Amino acid sequence: MKYLLLLAFVMMAQVEVPPAVVETISKLKLSTELGSKVAPILTEQAAELRTIREKYGDPKEASLSTKLKMRKEAQAIDERADAQLKKILSEDQMKELMKIRKSRREKAAQ
């Protein structure tokens, strides 16, 4: 039900939210109100991370120095997003978000 409410919000706001963001909000079991606050932050974060991948290419084929640059830039993006999210989410929700993020990155690295 919350998932449907979030989708309704996204459609009403006519905001394009990546499926991974919708999935994350659903896994965190956020209310529509919290989801509407978190979605723009996660969407911007995803766009910035995508820009890094486009800038440097496939990390699996990158040199060690390139991988380190990518990781440093990604960490800065994560820190900015986390600073905003900590103002909205509870400590438990932030912990769950970190688990989701870690799992997603491990899958991408395979």
Side-chain angles (χ1 to χ4, degrees):
M1 180 66 175
K2 289 181 182 180
Y3 181 76
L4 292 175
L5 291 173
L6 177 62
L7 286 177
F9 164 77
V10 169
M11 293 178 75
M12 288 184 336
Q14 297 196 6
V15 175
E16 188 173 329
V17 178
V21 172
V22 174
E23 179 184 341
T24 299
I25 290 170
S26 177
K27 284 183 178 181
L28 290 173
K29 299 177 179 136
L30 300 181
S31 67
T32 304
E33 181 182 343
L34 280 180
S36 68
K37 292 177 182 179
V38 169
I41 298 167
L42 294 178
T43 300
E44 182 179 339
Q45 178 187 27
E48 290 176 357
L49 292 171
R50 192 172 32 260
T51 300
I52 290 173
R53 285 189 296 277
E54 290 169 0
K55 177 179 173 182
Y56 292 105
D58 185 358
K60 294 175 187 173
E61 298 176 10
S63 67
L64 180 58
S65 64
T66 299
K67 287 179 183 179
L68 291 173
K69 288 177 190 176
M70 292 174 78
R71 187 66 212 135
K72 185 177 180 180
E73 289 183 34
Q75 283 177 327
I77 292 166
D78 288 348
E79 288 171 8
R80 282 194 305 271
D82 289 351
Q84 294 175 329
L85 292 167
K86 285 178 182 177
K87 295 175 185 176
I88 301 167
L89 300 176
S90 70
E91 189 175 327
D92 288 340
Q93 290 168 326
M94 281 300 296
K95 287 179 185 178
E96 185 62 27
L97 177 61
M98 296 302 133
K99 289 178 188 176
I100 293 167
R101 185 185 289 165
K102 181 180 178 185
S103 172
R104 205 171 270 143
R105 289 188 178 161
E106 287 173 352
K107 287 179 184 176
Q110 294 177 352

